[in-house]
Amino acid sequence: MKNTEVLVIGGGPAGLSAAAEAASYGAHVMIVDSDLRLGGQLIKQTHKFFGSAFERAGTRGFVISDILLDELKGYGNRVETYSNCTALGYYKDDGVVNCMEGEENYFKVLPKKILVATGAQERLIPFPNNDLPGVYGAGAVQTLMNVYGVVPGKRVLMVGAGNIGLIVSYQLLQAGVEVAAIVEAMPRIGGYWVHAAKVRRLGVPILLEHSIKEALGKDVVEGAIIQQISPGCGFIGEEIHVDCDVICMAVGLNPTCELLWQAGCEMKYVPQLCGHVALRDRSMRTSNPNVWVAGDAAGIEEASSAMVEGRIAGLSMAYDLGYAKEEEYLEKLDVYWERLNALRNGETGVKIREGIAQVLTDDFGGNER
């Protein structure tokens, strides 16, 4: 049995930020992450971030990952990290988390506080032959190209014109891969116009109110059929044949929340946050007094917001453990919330603000020492 004051499950932007914040006050932190290296989505992101200077706007995602990891190294043996390590389950009766590192090293952890920063999983949509080799999620394409330097194919049909679909399309073009088209079921582009403008300038058509109807091919993807969608979501008009060897799905994300269910956290389905999420207070504490949540596991947002939520959770856990004074804690908590609200401000943050309003509650009885 391993013991730690803070167990951070997930080594992405939220988890790394929380670990750094808690360790900065003196807490012993353990990070477990199922990927081969820490950083989460940041290590795949070659584009420059938006947001504010506090969240390193203008810096590429993989560089932000390196900055956070360097910060953690500065805390020495207060931070213990396990990559290629999956948190398999949470046992509510005794608060134990069991983990598997690799394929053989099984161990248990008894933490005083837990942060669930498990991120999100990609959505898929059903269509004939969607199990053919050559049908990828956008995250898999990013991993192949930006982590391993492997292009997925020669000509791609992108399904989804949100930020992920637009950004990955541009990254494919940068890698020399042709993007045949981007299809989007909605009547408008879901991502930022700056991302859409970059792919349009390079000649990639964005077909609104269109979606994929069928993947073509016997053993691998050899093409696709796309078609216009009616307001009632049925196919209308003529079928369009697209020559491609890759179909990339960028149709949204769902919060990864299985451990939160296991921990008995009060959950709610919130469409604006893209799925079931845990109710939480301003400190990111859930209804389980020893469990916090941050990042995409708390609702799908940008990585900049995930980092601030992680800082809030790390600060709160450190305070709850007795490492921070109340006056300092409350002052810093207000500062972080100002930064978080600034990121959610404006027209693009309307949906997020509506979702957060449904899950943000009064103090769950936390920060009692």
Side-chain angles (χ1 to χ4, degrees):
M1 179 81 73
K2 299 180 185 292
N3 292 277
T4 186
E5 290 182 309
V6 174
L7 174 64
V8 175
I9 303 174
L16 294 181
S17 298
E21 188 75 17
S24 72
Y25 284 93
H28 180 271
V29 181
M30 178 186 295
I31 305 171
V32 298
D33 188 88
S34 59
D35 286 340
L36 296 177
R37 54 185 283 202
L38 298 178
Q41 295 300 312
L42 291 174
I43 65 174
K44 307 176 185 180
Q45 295 174 342
T46 59
H47 61 281
K48 294 181 180 180
F49 271 42
F50 294 129
S52 69
F54 292 114
E55 278 61 65
R56 301 181 176 88
T59 306
R60 300 186 189 280
F62 67 91
V63 176
I64 295 175
S65 174
D66 291 339
I67 292 170
L68 290 171
L69 291 171
D70 286 342
E71 183 180 353
L72 289 173
K73 289 177 184 177
Y75 301 121
N77 58 13
R78 286 209 299 273
V79 179
E80 193 176 355
T81 64
Y82 292 85
S83 55
N84 193 24
C85 182
T86 301
L88 300 173
Y90 172 87
Y91 293 87
K92 190 178 178 182
D93 291 343
D94 53 13
V96 168
V97 177
N98 59 345
C99 301
M100 177 69 79
E101 184 181 26
E103 297 181 359
E104 297 183 358
N105 183 23
Y106 173 85
F107 62 91
K108 296 180 180 180
V109 184
L110 181 58
K112 294 181 179 179
K113 311 296 174 188
I114 298 173
L115 171 66
V116 177
T118 44
Q121 49 197 326
E122 292 187 281
R123 293 176 180 171
L124 297 175
I125 55 176
F127 54 87
N129 296 323
N130 70 347
D131 58 347
L132 279 174
V135 179
Y136 291 87
V141 169
Q142 276 192 311
T143 301
L144 279 174
M145 292 197 304
N146 299 342
V147 178
Y148 298 110
V150 176
V151 294
K154 297 179 179 179
R155 198 165 195 260
V156 175
L157 170 67
M158 180 65 65
V159 182
N163 278 325
I164 294 176
L166 296 171
I167 289 170
V168 174
S169 293
Y170 187 68
Q171 292 172 348
L172 284 161
L173 293 165
Q174 287 179 308
V177 179
E178 185 179 357
V179 178
I182 301 172
V183 293
E184 169 57 56
M186 299 297 289
R188 62 187 179 278
I189 292 170
Y192 296 145
W193 280 101
V194 64
H195 296 316
K198 287 195 293 187
V199 295
R200 284 295 295 122
R201 282 198 299 266
L202 294 172
V204 178
I206 301 176
L207 305 177
L208 301 179
E209 297 181 302
H210 282 71
S211 190
I212 184 168
K213 187 174 184 179
E214 181 180 359
L216 303 176
K218 182 179 179 182
D219 298 316
V220 296
V221 170
E222 297 174 1
I225 299 295
I226 63 174
Q227 198 169 354
Q228 188 177 357
I229 297 177
S230 70
C233 295
F235 286 109
I236 58 174
E238 294 184 4
E239 295 182 346
I240 303 171
H241 180 276
V242 178
D243 288 321
C244 60
D245 59 354
V246 172
I247 298 168
C248 183
M249 309 297 296
V251 292
L253 303 167
N254 289 121
T256 303
C257 56
E258 290 84 353
L259 290 172
L260 295 165
W261 287 105
Q262 290 180 9
C265 301
E266 189 175 348
M267 307 289 287
K268 183 175 183 179
Y269 182 78
V270 182
Q272 295 92 331
L273 301 179
C274 301
H276 282 94
V277 293
L279 272 62
R280 79 298 302 257
D281 60 21
R282 289 184 79 243
S283 72
M284 302 305 297
R285 187 195 295 258
T286 70
S287 59
N288 182 322
N290 293 317
V291 176
W292 280 253
V293 66
D296 279 349
I300 306 303
E301 284 193 74
E302 298 290 334
S304 299
S305 299
M307 290 188 284
V308 183
E309 287 187 340
R311 293 285 174 181
I312 291 171
L315 170 67
S316 175
M317 290 186 289
Y319 173 70
D320 210 60
L321 289 164
Y323 285 107
K325 296 180 179 179
E326 183 175 12
E327 183 178 355
E328 180 185 9
Y329 163 72
L330 293 174
E331 182 179 343
K332 202 168 186 182
L333 183 64
D334 286 342
V335 169
Y336 281 144
W337 268 100
E338 287 177 7
R339 286 163 51 174
L340 193 53
N341 288 333
L343 290 169
R344 292 169 174 164
N345 198 19
E347 184 180 350
T348 57
V350 170
K351 185 178 75 169
I352 297 300
R353 295 196 300 272
E354 291 175 350
I356 295 298
Q358 297 181 53
V359 295
L360 193 62
T361 72
D362 294 332
D363 196 332
F364 269 125
N367 299 324
E368 296 175 356
R369 298 196 239 173

